[in-house]
Amino acid sequence: MTDNLPYVHLRAIEPEDLDVLYGIENDTSLWNVSVTSVPYSRYTLYEYVANSKNDIYSDRQVRMMIENENHDVVGIVDIINFEPKHLRAEVGIVIKDAYRNKGFAMAAIAKIRVYSLNVLHLHQLYAYVDNENKQSLRLFEKCGFVASYRLRDWLFDGRTYHDVLFMQLFL
């Protein structure tokens, strides 16, 4: 999976990332594939960055910035809904428009996979993917995720309900 992928570095969110975080969190085109339905203020995001312990065991999540070889932020990858008892967590990823379809998402997921196995000792990662989001479905499938079941009418875009595929990767 890692052949011919671009270089990526995953790092903790810094206060300097506030503008990137603000842009991604307030991108309404992404709201249909998440549970977000209201914009975030800069202050709220600043408080999140300032108060996050960046400890997955206390926060139950970790957000990491994805950088390319030039240290440009190309996106964000999240491990959320961390369940230490069951050794599983949900993964989510957003790549900025200018860097999409260049392999950065696959490279970041490859790094998250290694981190999840070797550092967190997880048994599985999972993702909820809109059945109509063929690009995301291909990405997760190429990364080894398998669709386990379909959740009917799981997401609502304001007009239509969408089915979601629950995808799992056993580490």
Side-chain angles (χ1 to χ4, degrees):
M1 179 177 79
T2 57
D3 293 345
N4 300 317
L5 292 178
Y7 169 85
V8 294
H9 172 70
L10 305 180
R11 63 166 176 79
I13 295 177
E14 300 287 347
E16 297 78 22
D17 297 317
L18 188 58
D19 287 338
V20 173
L21 191 59
Y22 183 81
I24 288 173
E25 291 294 345
N26 290 305
D27 182 348
T28 57
S29 70
L30 301 173
W31 289 4
N32 290 337
V33 295
S34 72
V35 294
T36 301
S37 59
V38 295
Y40 285 93
S41 70
R42 286 185 190 280
Y43 179 76
T44 299
L45 293 172
Y46 174 81
E47 286 289 306
Y48 167 78
V49 172
N51 294 320
S52 174
K53 294 175 185 69
N54 210 29
D55 175 5
I56 195 164
Y57 289 94
S58 62
D59 296 337
R60 293 290 192 249
Q61 67 177 358
V62 65
R63 303 190 85 182
M64 291 185 248
M65 306 305 286
I66 307 166
E67 290 184 334
N68 66 11
E69 62 188 5
N70 298 323
H71 305 288
D72 299 319
V73 173
V74 301
I76 299 176
V77 63
D78 299 326
I79 298 176
I80 59 174
N81 298 323
F82 172 61
E83 284 291 336
K85 178 180 179 182
H86 302 293
L87 300 174
R88 68 176 177 242
E90 183 178 351
V91 64
I93 189 164
V94 175
I95 301 297
K96 292 167 61 177
D97 286 339
Y99 299 97
R100 289 186 182 159
N101 301 313
K102 296 181 171 129
F104 290 110
M106 188 176 286
I109 290 175
K111 288 226 172 185
I112 283 296
R113 180 182 188 157
V114 170
Y115 174 76
S116 297
L117 179 63
N118 296 336
V119 177
L120 301 177
H121 308 292
L122 295 183
H123 172 63
Q124 69 175 291
L125 291 171
Y126 63 91
Y128 295 94
V129 182
D130 185 329
N131 186 55
E132 295 177 22
N133 188 340
K134 301 305 181 195
Q135 190 172 6
S136 287
L137 288 171
R138 277 193 305 275
L139 166 68
F140 282 102
E141 287 170 352
K142 285 182 180 180
C143 291
F145 285 72
V146 175
S148 297
Y149 58 87
R150 178 185 306 265
L151 297 165
R152 303 250 179 236
D153 292 348
W154 196 254
L155 297 174
F156 183 64
D157 66 9
R159 293 182 308 271
T160 309
Y161 285 95
H162 298 262
D163 291 356
V164 163
L165 293 180
F166 180 77
M167 303 190 74
Q168 294 175 283
L169 173 67
F170 294 96
L171 305 170

